[in-house]
Amino acid sequence: MKKFFINTYGCQMNVHESEKLAGILHQRGYVQANSNEDADVILLNTCCIRETAETRVLGNLGIIKKIKEKRPEVIVGICGCMPQKPGSAQMLRKRCPFINIIFGTHNMYRLGEYLDRVERGEKVLEIWDSEGKIETSPILREQGAHAWVNIMYGCDNFCSYCIVPYVRGRERSRDFNEIVTEVRALVESGYKEITLLGQNVNSYGGGSPQFGKLLRALTAFDGEYRIKFMTSHPKDFTEDVAEAMASSEKIANYVHLPVQAGSDRILKLMNRKYTSAEYLEKIKIIRSFIPDVGISSDIMIGFPTETEEDYLCSEELVKEVKYNNLFTFIYSRRSGTVADKMDGQVDIATKTDRIERLIKLQFEIGNELAKSYVGNKYRVLCGDVVDGVGYGKSSCDKSISFAADESKKGKFIDVKIIQAKNNKLIGEIC
Ligand code: SAH
Ligand code: SF4
Ligand code: F3S
């Protein structure tokens, strides 16, 4: 039996798209290999959000080249955001002539046809520069109790640093009823946690109140399950969504609300369309509806012209919000974006110093928060169980470990926090 292996880079959107690529391969009779080494088809589903993401892909292509030298009959394909970047596909063709198929984000569902063409002796390089209509693919979901569901594709926001609108195209929302049908089927087949995906879920269907309506519609099914969603753009997050979240236990008490920076001057240059005060107001509204909500964020360090004073505004904001989780990134120049042409690029030593300070600050805040949770009880969805330890997440996205046997895997369990070890929460089943 022929085998495939997919190397996935980047965000949840890509993780889910790899499940769709796997679905196409599965339909053609392929089964999943354990590694690149024993696969007949190797795919790289790539990301180009930062330079480091691209470097990782190029490094892995070096390893795959060696596999191809030993077994020339292996089919190698590269797809996703990296080849979709203007000029990138041609660069890949030149630099890595051993790649059989190069395709982008808008034509991923055509993989089957590209495999046929390779089998006929062709080399495929096909990048579509416009989106076309939303196509459905078979999906081979990762095993477990969690599933991803796309509710929209693309992004219209053009944050000045970001490559996503260029490689993912304009915003398109999926049909409301189609989403409801997919989620219902997932719940009925036993999935316990479903994450709705979009670059800006709050502008689903053209904006408020559509997303709130969708959330409410997804709480109508029988049984215990949780709906999560990401990512929320602060400018589009509206009160009706907080209200919908508070209205049902079936919607997780968790919001990923990336702020990017605390300085209003930098936020304006980033084209984020909110001030730090407006952002804090949204946090206040969310917490007024859902007091125990978990909030996480992304912050970028070293955007062009960022001064020490600007950086300290990000620190102040982090101290004020007290995030449950913070993802920090060093600004990376992306050609074709507005910020790439800005004067005042910040040197790497300054960026590194600032990100280290921010990580340390968040670590201390995380520690304090973790201690304050000791004694609390949470309903946790148990994911993996390894060597008698279960790992699960609460509705408010707290990661908790606890003694458990295999039977708890994929089940909702009540856990009491007995200890906080740095940022880690340890609990016991109660
Ligand atoms: N659509 C989401 C996130 C998309 S990318 C949103 O609007 O928040 C995920 C994160 O990568 C972003 O939140 C941002 O913090 C980071 N990012 C995007 N472009 C970047 C760049 N050029 N350099 C460094 N980090 C970047
Ligand atoms: Fe990028 Fe901004 Fe769109 Fe997010 S909202 S994907 S950061 S352009
Ligand atoms: Fe990367 Fe594309 Fe996602 S650039 S972050 S994989 S949308």
Side-chain angles (χ1 to χ4, degrees):
M1 205 172 273
K2 289 206 168 180
K3 294 183 185 169
F4 71 89
F5 192 79
I6 306 179
N7 303 270
T8 305
Y9 309 81
C11 64
Q12 291 82 0
M13 199 75 74
N14 259 21
V15 172
H16 184 40
E17 259 150 19
S18 286
E19 293 182 329
K20 295 182 184 174
L21 294 166
I24 297 172
L25 289 159
H26 187 68
Q27 208 174 45
R28 293 173 71 88
Y30 284 85
V31 295
Q32 210 139 8
N34 293 322
S35 68
N36 287 315
E37 278 70 20
D38 65 332
D40 304 287
V41 171
I42 298 175
L43 293 182
L44 292 93
N45 189 11
T46 63
C47 172
C48 58
I49 195 87
R50 285 169 286 273
E51 197 183 344
T52 44
E54 292 189 276
T55 314
R56 211 166 301 137
V57 173
L58 293 172
N60 281 5
L61 275 171
I63 299 168
I64 287 159
K65 184 178 176 208
K66 295 213 170 76
I67 298 177
K68 185 86 176 168
E69 278 162 6
K70 267 196 239 154
R71 294 190 293 129
E73 69 283 5
V74 171
I75 298 174
V76 178
I78 182 160
C79 61
C81 294
M82 200 173 152
Q84 191 72 44
K85 219 177 71 171
S88 225
Q90 288 70 19
M91 178 279 285
L92 286 162
R93 163 98 320 151
K94 244 194 182 153
R95 204 166 148 166
C96 306
F98 63 88
I99 301 175
N100 303 87
I101 315 172
I102 302 178
F103 55 126
T105 52
H106 302 313
N107 53 339
M108 282 215 206
Y109 64 93
R110 302 284 283 262
L111 172 64
E113 176 199 315
Y114 301 149
L115 286 170
D116 288 340
R117 283 165 56 183
V118 169
E119 275 155 21
R120 290 200 299 267
E122 262 186 70
K123 268 200 170 180
V124 179
L125 190 162
E126 200 166 299
I127 308 291
W128 290 2
D129 54 13
S130 65
E131 297 92 8
K133 61 180 178 30
I134 296 174
E135 293 284 344
T136 48
S137 309
I139 303 173
L140 184 64
R141 296 188 187 273
E142 299 252 323
Q143 279 171 357
H146 175 268
W148 309 101
V149 171
N150 278 115
I151 63 163
M152 59 203 298
Y153 300 90
C155 180
D156 284 350
N157 288 306
F158 289 93
C159 300
S160 63
Y161 48 82
C162 185
I163 194 78
V164 172
Y166 302 91
V167 295
R168 290 279 174 177
R170 299 290 62 74
E171 194 175 290
R172 287 97 69 205
S173 293
R174 268 183 80 194
D175 177 69
F176 192 99
N177 291 327
E178 219 177 86
I179 299 169
V180 173
T181 306
E182 183 174 343
V183 173
R184 180 190 291 120
L186 288 167
V187 170
E188 284 172 2
S189 61
Y191 285 94
K192 304 283 181 222
E193 188 176 272
I194 291 154
T195 304
L196 311 178
L197 289 176
Q199 294 298 348
N200 181 8
V201 289
N202 298 85
S203 68
Y204 170 75
S208 174
Q210 287 310 313
F211 185 58
K213 277 191 184 164
L214 179 67
L215 285 179
R216 286 179 194 268
L218 298 179
T219 61
F221 319 125
D222 291 338
E224 190 175 5
Y225 63 93
R226 258 181 216 157
I227 303 288
K228 287 189 173 175
F229 53 88
M230 68 191 323
T231 298
S232 292
H233 194 307
K235 80 175 163 58
D236 294 314
F237 194 102
T238 46
E239 194 168 314
D240 62 302
V241 170
E243 230 179 288
M245 290 172 70
S247 74
S248 169
E249 298 228 319
K250 289 179 174 164
I251 304 177
N253 291 343
Y254 169 56
V255 185
H256 181 57
L257 201 66
V259 68
Q260 310 298 355
S263 150
D264 289 344
R265 189 182 72 81
I266 295 289
L267 284 171
K268 195 154 197 293
L269 285 176
M270 287 177 162
N271 194 29
R272 289 291 287 181
K273 299 196 173 81
Y274 53 83
T275 61
S276 58
E278 283 162 352
Y279 178 88
L280 290 170
E281 186 55 31
K282 301 261 167 156
I283 299 270
K284 210 164 131 192
I285 292 170
I286 296 169
R287 285 186 168 147
S288 74
F289 279 96
I290 316 137
D292 74 333
V293 68
I295 302 179
S296 62
S297 188
D298 296 345
I299 291 193
M300 202 184 301
I301 292 298
F303 185 83
T305 77
E306 184 190 75
T307 61
E308 176 65 14
E309 205 184 348
D310 292 319
Y311 162 73
L312 289 174
C313 294
S314 295
E315 276 202 1
E316 279 315 303
L317 189 131
V318 166
K319 282 185 201 157
E320 175 138 7
V321 177
K322 292 196 170 61
Y323 291 112
N324 295 86
N325 216 344
L326 181 64
F327 302 91
T328 49
F329 304 105
I330 286 185
Y331 165 73
S332 167
R333 291 177 82 158
R334 303 285 72 202
S335 66
T337 61
V338 171
D340 186 42
K341 297 177 200 78
M342 286 181 185
D343 291 333
Q345 299 288 333
V346 179
D347 66 88
I348 187 69
T350 307
K351 286 181 188 170
T352 310
D353 170 62
R354 287 183 190 155
I355 201 167
E356 280 171 2
R357 282 152 65 201
L358 191 62
I359 291 170
K360 185 164 173 280
L361 172 65
Q362 176 60 28
F363 184 75
E364 284 157 8
I365 292 170
N367 260 339
E368 282 309 304
L369 287 176
K371 271 188 229 151
S372 74
Y373 302 142
V374 174
N376 289 3
K377 282 185 190 166
Y378 296 99
R379 189 131 178 95
V380 160
L381 177 60
C382 182
D384 251 357
V385 177
V386 182
D387 298 333
V389 181
Y391 298 87
K393 281 209 170 191
S394 68
S395 171
C396 48
D397 207 50
K398 291 183 176 56
S399 298
I400 304 168
S401 62
F402 47 92
D405 57 44
E406 283 284 327
S407 70
K408 301 291 184 292
K409 221 168 154 170
K411 303 229 166 76
F412 282 106
I413 293 152
D414 290 317
V415 169
K416 183 178 173 185
I417 307 295
I418 50 170
Q419 202 186 349
K421 260 194 194 167
N422 291 329
N423 280 319
K424 294 199 169 55
L425 295 175
I426 298 157
E428 64 183 14
I429 296 176
C430 58

